[in-house]
């Protein structure tokens, strides 16, 4: 636990040094998801705007996790600290988990400012304790998915350059702007194996009903199973790639 907290502290000391990062984190989500949400106002339906706001906000959480955890090795490499992390006794899983803790607090920070900016713009989410719980568990489930991507990125290092494309692909298939009910069946089949799809559906159901219903419990169970499968595959892949990379000495071969 001590080594985990040391890595989290290291990331926050970097954020503390570069103060403009805080301004960037506060403003960027509003600029990125704003066009989707303001376009929805053309339809004159508040519920529709709220639906897109929760969908794009959860997608933005995934966006941050894919950079923070999924590209965790690339980030340390750019900062020149990857080799130091690798030769330390900490496991790669703990290293990535420390990234997820850092990303979670960053996401909470940017979410507060995003909701404030949209409230000023006349678009709000019906807040309830369930929304906070949803965001809390979203961090865990998206972390599991991101660890799977991080293992892929370590194995096929060039895949890191597709990070943006993968994020938008996942966002589109998860129904961040429209329900997947409108998708063709062959696209739905892919959507159902993406954890974000279930998180967005849960978020929209909570906003609509204000509570967790029986059908939401089913979504939560499926979400948990799929996310654990990604986590298990991710850890197995991570261990295998770590052994291979140590034997070959290819940590700096990117």
């Amino acid at each position: 636990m001590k080594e985990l907290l040391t890595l989290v502290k290291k990331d926050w000391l970097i954020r503390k040094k570069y103060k403009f990062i805080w301004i960037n984190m506060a403003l960027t989500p509003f600029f990125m998801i704003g066009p989707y949400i303001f376009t929805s106002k053309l339809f004159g339906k508040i519920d529709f705007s709220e639906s897109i706001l929760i969908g794009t906000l959860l997608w933005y959480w995934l966006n941050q996790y894919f950079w923070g955890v999924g590209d965790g090795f690339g980030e340390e490499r750019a900062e020149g600290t990857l080799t130091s992390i690798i030769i330390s006794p900490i496991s790669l899983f703990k290293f990535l988990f420390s990234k997820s803790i850092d990303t979670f607090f960053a996401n909470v920070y940017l979410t507060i400012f995003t909701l404030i900016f949209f409230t000023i713009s006349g678009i709000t989410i019906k807040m309830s304790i369930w929304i906070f719980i949803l965001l809390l568990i979203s961090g865990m489930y998206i972390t599991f998915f991101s660890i799977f991507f991080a293992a892929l990125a370590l194995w096929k290092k060039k895949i890191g350059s597709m990070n943006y494309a993968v994020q938008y692909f996942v966002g589109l298939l998860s129904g961040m702007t429209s329900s997947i009910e409108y998708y063709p069946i062959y696209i739905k089949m892919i959507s159902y194996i993406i954890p974000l799809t279930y998180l967005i559906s849960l978020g929209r159901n909570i906003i609509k009903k204000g509570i967790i219903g029986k059908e939401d419990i089913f979504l939560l169970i499926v979400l948990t199973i799929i996310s654990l499968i990604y986590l298990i595959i991710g850890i197995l892949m991570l261990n295998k790639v770590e052994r291979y990379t140590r034997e070959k000495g290819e940590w700096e071969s990117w």
Side-chain angles (χ1 to χ4, degrees):
M1 191 64 183
K2 184 179 178 182
E3 61 268 30
L4 200 69
L5 295 177
T6 300
L7 288 172
V8 174
K9 183 180 178 183
K10 186 267 295 180
D11 284 330
W12 278 88
L13 286 175
I14 293 174
R15 293 188 193 281
K16 185 179 177 183
K17 184 176 181 180
Y18 297 97
K19 294 182 174 57
F20 282 109
I21 289 178
W22 297 95
I23 299 175
N24 184 61
M25 285 197 300
L27 297 177
T28 303
F30 180 74
F31 294 141
M32 284 189 69
I33 67 179
Y36 300 108
I37 297 165
F38 290 128
T39 300
S40 71
K41 293 191 75 175
L42 291 173
F43 296 89
K45 295 181 178 179
I46 296 176
D47 290 349
F48 188 48
S49 299
E50 290 176 344
S51 174
I52 293 184
L53 177 54
I54 190 66
T56 50
L57 185 60
L58 286 168
W59 168 75
Y60 201 82
W61 274 57
L62 177 135
N63 176 296
Q64 295 302 298
Y65 276 101
F66 262 54
W67 284 119
V69 180
D71 193 40
F73 298 111
E75 184 183 48
E76 294 296 333
R77 178 176 172 269
E79 293 173 357
T81 53
L82 178 61
T83 304
S84 299
I85 297 290
I86 296 307
I87 62 175
S88 70
I90 190 169
S91 69
L92 293 188
F93 176 73
K94 283 186 178 179
F95 160 69
L96 291 175
F97 198 70
S98 75
K99 292 282 185 184
S100 77
I101 296 174
D102 172 67
T103 305
F104 173 78
F105 286 113
N107 276 345
V108 171
Y109 170 83
L110 64 87
T111 298
I112 291 171
F113 279 94
T114 301
L115 294 178
I116 290 174
F117 291 146
F118 280 113
T119 299
I120 294 172
S121 304
I123 301 173
T124 59
I125 290 177
K126 296 184 185 72
M127 297 304 294
S128 69
I129 186 65
W130 294 110
I131 291 293
F132 289 105
I133 293 174
L134 174 70
L135 292 176
L136 189 66
I137 65 172
S138 294
M140 179 180 67
Y141 288 122
I142 300 175
T143 292
F144 293 171
F145 191 43
S146 300
I147 287 174
F148 170 75
F149 183 76
L152 274 179
L154 184 61
W155 178 30
K156 301 289 184 184
K157 297 181 175 62
K158 298 290 187 291
I159 205 172
S161 59
M162 293 180 62
N163 201 336
Y164 263 127
V166 172
Q167 290 170 27
Y168 278 102
F169 182 70
V170 171
L172 172 69
L173 294 178
S174 300
M176 69 175 181
T177 55
S178 64
S179 172
I180 63 169
E181 293 177 7
Y182 303 110
Y183 292 172
I185 184 65
Y186 58 90
I187 294 182
K188 277 185 187 177
M189 292 173 67
I190 303 174
S191 301
Y192 288 137
I193 61 171
I194 299 174
L196 187 63
T197 301
Y198 300 92
L199 289 168
I200 290 175
S201 294
L202 283 167
R204 287 174 177 155
N205 289 345
I206 290 172
I207 289 174
K208 187 177 179 181
K209 296 178 292 187
I211 58 172
I212 291 281
K214 290 181 180 177
E215 67 274 25
D216 297 325
I217 300 297
F218 174 74
L219 289 177
L220 199 56
I221 292 172
V222 177
L223 168 66
T224 302
I225 294 171
I226 291 176
S227 298
L228 286 175
I229 290 174
Y230 278 112
L231 177 65
I232 292 169
I233 295 174
I235 291 175
L236 292 175
M237 196 186 305
L238 204 60
N239 291 336
K240 185 175 181 179
V241 177
E242 181 183 11
R243 284 196 300 273
Y244 175 82
T245 308
R246 287 189 186 282
E247 290 171 2
K248 296 291 182 180
E250 294 181 345
W251 289 105
E252 290 301 323
S253 174
W254 220 258

